Amino acid sequence: MLEIGSVMTLEPLDQPGDMYRCKLVSMDEATISIDYPVSETTGKTGFLVNGTLLSCLVVGSDQNPYRFETAVMGRRKENIPVILLKLPQKNDILKIQRRQYVRIDTDVNVAVHSPDGVFPAFVSVTSDLSAGGAAIIIPEDIEIEERQPLTVWLSLPLQDGTISYVKMDSESIRVYEESGVKKATIQFLNMNDLSLQKIIRFCFDQQILTRKKEAAAE
């Protein structure tokens, strides 16, 4: 499942919301070697002390995302300096099937372009979002047909107040009207590993925030 060169997203369990990006460099029977992780917020190299517990999100060789927990075991010099993470047991790795992608109601900003120039570019918001696609609100003066190719930029607000941008090739699936508002459901196509991880992480975080708000209101 794990593959050398895979992009991984790390989140310290004691610092939820702090996201780091790295690559899997090598593996042995007990550890995973990664290059030094870079903060998605600051763009600077992060420092992870030995014993730090991490949640890891990675897209496997089968193009499915996986989640597992691991810990920093140490450092060593290979072709480059690397950080050693504990290799998870197979039964500790959670496979996230595409049909299991969390879909959340959220109004993140979105910019939509037609690669064929069929309609002028416009800025709008989503009404829901998952790692597989979204529903977006369509301005009245924009005409989009079903099965039309799109280029989509999402602006994902992170918990620390920064914005993470994701660009994807997409396709309109259905155009419809709901409560007097014109919408289109779109499917994301040919997503790279990092874009997929960003959206999955955002959706999980939003789901956790919603649960916390509901619990506080009880």
Side-chain angles (χ1 to χ4, degrees):
M1 181 277 294
L2 296 176
E3 192 173 59
I4 304 302
S6 295
V7 176
M8 304 171 69
T9 300
L10 305 177
E11 180 182 24
L13 295 184
D14 62 348
Q15 295 177 301
D18 287 353
M19 310 299 296
Y20 297 90
R21 184 175 66 255
C22 63
K23 282 189 178 182
L24 197 161
V25 175
S26 65
M27 292 184 293
D28 58 29
E29 66 280 358
T31 61
I32 298 170
S33 299
I34 61 169
D35 61 2
Y36 274 64
V38 174
S39 169
E40 292 191 358
T41 302
T42 66
K44 296 180 179 179
T45 301
F47 183 72
L48 302 176
V49 301
N50 291 355
T52 300
L53 300 178
L54 302 164
S55 173
C56 177
L57 182 65
V58 61
V59 177
S61 54
D62 58 1
Q63 296 305 302
N64 272 299
Y66 293 82
R67 295 184 72 189
F68 59 88
E69 292 186 359
T70 183
V72 178
M73 306 296 290
R75 290 159 177 75
R76 71 179 175 214
K77 183 69 179 292
E78 297 185 1
N79 292 332
I80 58 173
V82 298
I83 293 176
L84 304 179
L85 303 181
K86 181 181 178 182
L87 181 68
Q89 299 295 315
K90 287 186 178 180
N91 57 1
D92 292 330
I93 301 176
L94 173 65
K95 181 179 181 180
I96 305 171
Q97 301 282 3
R98 290 187 180 274
R99 65 178 179 272
Q100 296 173 320
Y101 285 167
V102 177
R103 180 172 291 273
I104 59 170
D105 295 330
T106 184
D107 55 349
V108 302
N109 292 330
V110 58
V112 182
H113 291 238
S114 168
D116 301 327
V118 175
F119 58 82
F122 64 90
V123 176
S124 186
V125 294
T126 63
S127 60
D128 64 52
L129 174 67
S130 78
I136 59 176
I137 296 174
I138 306 299
E140 287 298 327
D141 59 341
I142 298 293
E143 294 296 330
I144 291 181
E145 302 295 332
E146 295 182 357
R147 300 298 175 181
Q148 198 163 51
L150 309 170
T151 303
V152 172
W153 281 261
L154 291 173
S155 301
L156 304 177
L158 304 181
Q159 294 185 40
D160 61 5
T162 60
I163 302 293
S164 181
Y165 297 97
V166 181
K167 176 186 176 183
M168 289 159 298
D169 294 331
S170 307
E171 182 183 53
S172 59
I173 301 300
R174 184 168 73 97
V175 179
Y176 62 100
E177 189 170 299
E178 183 177 70
S179 301
V181 177
K182 186 165 66 171
K183 297 183 179 182
T185 55
I186 63 172
Q187 179 181 1
F188 301 142
L189 307 173
N190 307 318
M191 294 179 67
N192 61 49
D193 294 355
L194 185 56
S195 295
L196 179 60
Q197 291 176 31
K198 284 182 177 181
I199 298 176
I200 290 175
R201 182 71 261 175
F202 173 79
C203 290
F204 278 133
D205 286 346
Q206 292 302 304
Q207 191 177 42
I208 291 171
L209 286 175
T210 299
R211 288 174 180 171
K212 287 181 178 179
K213 291 178 181 178
E214 291 174 349
E218 292 178 354

